Amino acid sequence: MGQGASSVSCASARDLDMEEKEEDAAFEEDMIQTQTQSPTHRHNKDEDFTAWLPDECLACVFQKMGTMDHNQCSLVCKRWYHVEAHCRQRLSLYARAEIISFLPSIFMRFDRITKLALRCDRKTTSMDDKALFLVGRHCSTLRKLKIKGCRQLTDEGIELFARVASSTLCKLSCGACSFGARGINAVVNYCTLLEDLTVKRLKGLEEGPPEFIGPGCGTIRRLCLKELYNAQLFGPLMAGSKNLHTIIIYRSSGNWDSLLTIVSEQISNLVELHMEMLHLSDRGLQAVSRWTKLEVLYVVKTTECSDFGLSAIAEGCRRLKKLHINGLKSNRIGDDGITALASKCRDLQEVILIGVNATAASLGLMASNCSGLERLALCNSATVGDTELSCITSKCNSLKRLCLKGCSISDEGMRGLATGCPRLIKVKIKKCKGVTWESVYWLQVHRPGLVVSLDCEAPNTRLLEGITEVSPVLVPPSPRSRSPLAKVKFALVASGSFVACSLLRWPLMKGKR
């Protein structure tokens, strides 16, 4: 009995060992097959990999997309439909009359809209007062509103909207509409958080007796007036907005000397001022000089301004960082005005001079005194030549971007860029007949990191005679703004680290579940 029992136990032990070896071999074979298979074989083809991504991360991805991609993603599945609706904060609607029946359902789906644009063309009947009232009542989180071409809106409708949106609206932009001063007064009176107001081509201001626009709650910080016939009616609003930071006035009729004198006596904290195509003289610039905290100044196409007015600006506005002057070749602004600015405003970082006949005397002083000057543009100046360019290259040690347009420079002056301006990144040359591709190639040989943009046609030959073989970095003049697709790509690249970190969480979350 003992021997039989021992033989049985030994046999069972051997069987167990054989089973364990077979199981280990099968396990190793499964692991090898799993590692060699492609991901499409390891997972179900219909598996949704975004299911492991939290709604917050998915919403962040949606926010980086353009409008078309946003709309297409919302049709993928129910989850994407709801996530896209809750994360969308911007919405643009074609504001025709028929939209009134769809507004409740639109804002029931998109319940977190903070920025809304309502646009309509001239050939279509736009939305009316009742529709705008529904917008204010259903869009409870609205902070920024843009209205363009809605000619059916009246002062009564704007007032009703201002009452229902009084606690949220911070920015209003209206253009090519038919309401007038009464509607604007209602907005500034009822909307206690309103800080940004833009008015462009408002037809209602031209009809009926003139009505001044008061400061209302006095919360306006940025005011933009464009192409208005009675822009002077906004004088009380300017003078009464004690926290006014930025004023932009473009192509608006009237004498602005007197109004700027009154406004400068009432407010003192203005930081940014744009004046373009206005009836403005040195008297108005003297009024501007009272704003001692001014940092950004645009004086564009104001033919009555001269060196005397710029000298007054230099005495009062010594904190200027950005200066843009367009003299329209009137010969009223020259060395004296630029010299005064260069000697007093030493914090200048960006200077753009168009139609201003500056010489080496004023430009040299600016290059010496303004040590932080990073961007300089000289356009349509008959006095800017190789001497002035040499003065800039030898003294502007902080300069990063240089633009020369319609100036009398040549290849000899361009060669000075090889050793001057050590921080220079980009040079743009336009309509300078004395500059050829030879100097551009020469610069690329002696300074490979510098990007040169030249508007003339490149030669057919790859290399010019006497120049060492090199692959030059030449770019055409860049457009002023990015395309929508480029903006999306830029946003995705900028936030790539955050998205990558979110994607790295997928395996960990899958293991936990």
Side-chain angles (χ1 to χ4, degrees):
M1 292 292 293
Q3 294 177 356
S6 62
S7 61
V8 172
S9 62
C10 291
S12 61
R14 285 196 298 271
D15 293 337
L16 291 173
D17 292 338
M18 291 296 293
E19 290 178 0
E20 291 178 357
K21 291 180 180 180
E22 290 176 357
E23 291 177 357
D24 292 341
F27 177 76
E28 292 177 359
E29 185 177 358
D30 291 339
M31 288 296 295
I32 293 173
Q33 292 179 356
T34 303
Q35 293 175 359
T36 57
Q37 284 178 348
S38 62
T40 57
H41 290 90
R42 278 183 280 166
H43 299 283
N44 185 2
K45 293 182 180 180
D46 297 331
E47 183 177 356
D48 182 11
F49 293 100
T50 63
W52 305 105
L53 192 66
D55 289 349
E56 294 80 7
C57 294
L58 186 60
C60 182
V61 174
F62 286 158
Q63 289 176 354
K64 304 300 181 182
M65 295 181 177
T67 303
M68 294 299 296
D69 293 332
H70 239 286
N71 297 337
Q72 292 176 359
C73 287
S74 65
L75 303 177
V76 172
C77 61
K78 290 184 177 180
R79 183 195 176 209
W80 285 28
Y81 178 86
H82 293 294
V83 172
E84 189 273 337
H86 287 295
C87 76
R88 180 174 290 205
Q89 297 180 348
R90 299 183 178 185
L91 188 63
S92 180
L93 299 177
Y94 184 35
R96 56 184 180 180
E98 295 80 5
I99 198 175
I100 186 171
S101 59
F102 301 100
L103 288 176
S105 58
I106 289 175
F107 292 113
M108 185 177 296
R109 177 187 173 190
F110 303 109
D111 56 351
R112 298 185 181 182
I113 295 297
T114 60
K115 185 176 181 180
L116 177 64
L118 302 172
R119 295 182 175 91
C120 192
D121 53 42
R122 296 181 178 180
K123 299 180 181 180
T124 307
T125 304
S126 70
M127 61 188 298
D128 56 8
D129 295 341
K130 184 178 180 181
L132 186 62
F133 174 75
L134 291 178
V135 169
R137 188 175 68 177
H138 291 286
C139 194
S140 58
T141 58
L142 185 62
R143 294 177 58 85
K144 300 178 181 180
L145 176 63
K146 183 175 183 180
I147 308 173
K148 183 178 180 181
C150 297
R151 291 175 172 79
Q152 306 302 317
L153 297 178
T154 65
D155 290 327
E156 290 77 8
I158 297 297
E159 184 174 356
L160 289 174
F161 169 79
R163 289 177 181 269
V164 295
S166 59
S167 60
T168 59
L169 192 66
C170 297
K171 179 179 179 179
L172 175 64
S173 175
C174 51
C177 295
S178 299
F179 59 88
R182 178 185 168 188
I184 299 297
N185 274 320
V187 172
V188 297
N189 285 326
Y190 291 111
C191 299
T192 57
L193 300 180
L194 189 68
E195 295 183 349
D196 193 327
L197 178 62
T198 299
V199 182
K200 182 178 181 181
R201 294 198 306 269
L202 200 61
K203 301 299 181 181
L205 294 177
E206 304 175 9
E207 301 174 356
E211 178 182 350
F212 286 99
I213 298 171
C217 299
T219 57
I220 298 294
R221 289 181 52 83
R222 180 183 182 274
L223 179 63
C224 179
L225 307 176
K226 292 186 176 182
E227 299 179 10
L228 296 178
Y229 178 72
N230 286 330
Q232 307 284 328
L233 298 177
F234 288 84
L237 174 61
M238 297 182 193
S241 301
K242 301 300 181 182
N243 297 322
L244 197 59
H245 179 277
T246 303
I247 297 179
I248 301 174
I249 310 171
Y250 169 77
R251 201 174 181 178
S252 297
S253 60
N255 188 349
W256 289 92
D257 291 340
S258 301
L259 184 58
L260 287 175
T261 302
I262 297 173
V263 173
S264 62
E265 292 176 352
Q266 301 297 322
I267 60 174
S268 58
N269 296 324
L270 197 70
V271 177
E272 186 172 351
L273 177 62
H274 297 239
M275 300 179 294
E276 183 171 353
M277 298 183 72
L278 303 179
H279 182 64
L280 183 71
S281 66
D282 291 336
R283 180 188 171 194
L285 293 183
Q286 286 180 310
V288 172
S289 66
R290 297 177 181 175
W291 286 313
T292 57
K293 298 181 180 180
L294 199 66
E295 296 181 1
V296 180
L297 176 62
Y298 279 62
V299 182
V300 179
K301 298 179 180 179
T302 54
T303 56
E304 300 298 324
C305 296
S306 66
D307 289 333
F308 181 78
L310 288 184
S311 300
I313 293 290
E315 289 291 338
C317 309
R318 302 196 177 189
R319 297 186 184 181
L320 278 180
K321 295 181 179 179
K322 185 175 181 179
L323 179 65
H324 187 151
I325 299 176
N326 189 338
L328 274 177
K329 295 184 178 181
S330 60
N331 295 326
R332 288 177 171 267
I333 299 176
D335 263 358
D336 292 340
I338 304 303
T339 300
L341 289 168
S343 60
K344 302 293 183 180
C345 306
R346 303 197 173 192
D347 294 334
L348 285 171
Q349 299 176 2
E350 178 178 332
V351 176
I352 299 175
L353 303 177
I354 302 175
V356 176
N357 293 326
T359 64
S362 58
L363 294 177
L365 183 62
M366 180 177 292
S368 301
N369 291 346
C370 305
S371 58
L373 188 63
E374 297 181 354
R375 183 184 176 189
L376 177 62
L378 303 173
C379 305
N380 301 329
S381 178
T383 58
V384 175
D386 291 341
T387 304
E388 285 71 23
L389 182 57
S390 176
C391 183
I392 293 171
T393 55
S394 61
K395 297 181 180 181
C396 291
N397 296 325
S398 300
L399 196 65
K400 296 181 179 179
R401 296 179 181 272
L402 176 63
C403 178
L404 300 171
K405 179 179 179 182
C407 299
S408 303
I409 60 174
S410 65
D411 290 342
E412 188 66 27
M414 288 288 292
R415 298 199 175 199
L417 295 173
T419 56
C421 301
R423 298 184 181 180
L424 195 62
I425 300 173
K426 185 174 182 180
V427 178
K428 184 182 293 186
I429 308 296
K430 288 186 177 182
K431 298 181 179 180
C432 297
K433 298 180 180 180
V435 180
T436 66
W437 280 99
E438 181 180 356
S439 63
V440 176
Y441 276 90
W442 188 90
L443 271 177
Q444 291 300 322
V445 173
H446 293 80
R447 192 168 181 175
L450 183 62
V451 179
V452 182
S453 174
L454 188 61
D455 60 348
C456 66
E457 187 175 352
N460 295 327
T461 56
R462 183 173 181 272
L463 296 174
L464 298 179
E465 185 179 358
I467 300 178
T468 308
E469 185 172 351
V470 66
S471 298
V473 182
L474 303 175
V475 298
S478 58
R480 293 186 177 181
S481 60
R482 295 188 179 95
S483 64
L485 180 60
K487 292 180 180 179
V488 172
K489 291 181 179 179
F490 180 80
L492 288 174
V493 171
S495 61
S497 58
F498 175 76
V499 176
C501 294
S502 303
L503 296 179
L504 289 174
R505 294 176 55 193
W506 289 1
L508 299 176
M509 296 177 64
K510 186 175 181 180
K512 291 182 180 180
R513 295 189 179 183

